[in-house]
Amino acid sequence: MNDLEIFNRLQSLIVSRQGKSTGNSYTEELFRKGHDHLLKKFGEEALEVLMASKDNDSEHVVRELADLWFHSLVVMTYHGISMSDVASELERREGISGLEEKSGRK
């Protein structure tokens, strides 16, 4: 299996749950609670990655990164952004110095 397949399958599932209200889906609940809630959850997950890394616990870092990536996909879905959109941006940056790329942003 291609590693990106899981991200595409997961985002498809997230998209299918956006706007639904069956009452039994964490993803549906995230969307129902709105944009501010999505951002709060994303921030919490990012902080949990930092704390796990600070504790130097690789297994915990992996679990927290999985949570962060999931919440990243939820935020992407909220904004109508696909994995292809992000992959295209990373491809555009390939071979460009990070310092150069950052200085060229608006």
Side-chain angles (χ1 to χ4, degrees), residues 2-60:
N2 178 323
D3 290 346
L4 289 179
E5 287 177 28
I6 187 63
F7 289 101
N8 287 320
R9 286 197 317 265
L10 184 54
Q11 189 169 36
S12 291
L13 180 63
I14 291 167
V15 167
S16 77
R17 298 211 170 144
Q18 187 178 23
K20 300 268 169 73
S21 60
T22 63
N24 62 354
S25 167
Y26 174 73
T27 305
E28 291 172 13
E29 182 179 302
L30 287 172
F31 285 118
R32 192 170 42 256
K33 288 185 176 181
H35 190 233
D36 286 347
H37 183 74
L38 294 177
L39 297 178
K40 179 182 174 195
K41 289 303 297 177
F42 182 85
E44 287 174 6
E45 298 303 337
L47 182 58
E48 289 172 7
V49 170
L50 294 174
M51 298 308 295
S53 183
K54 184 167 176 42
D55 291 343
N56 204 27
D57 183 341
S58 295
E59 187 176 321
H60 191 193

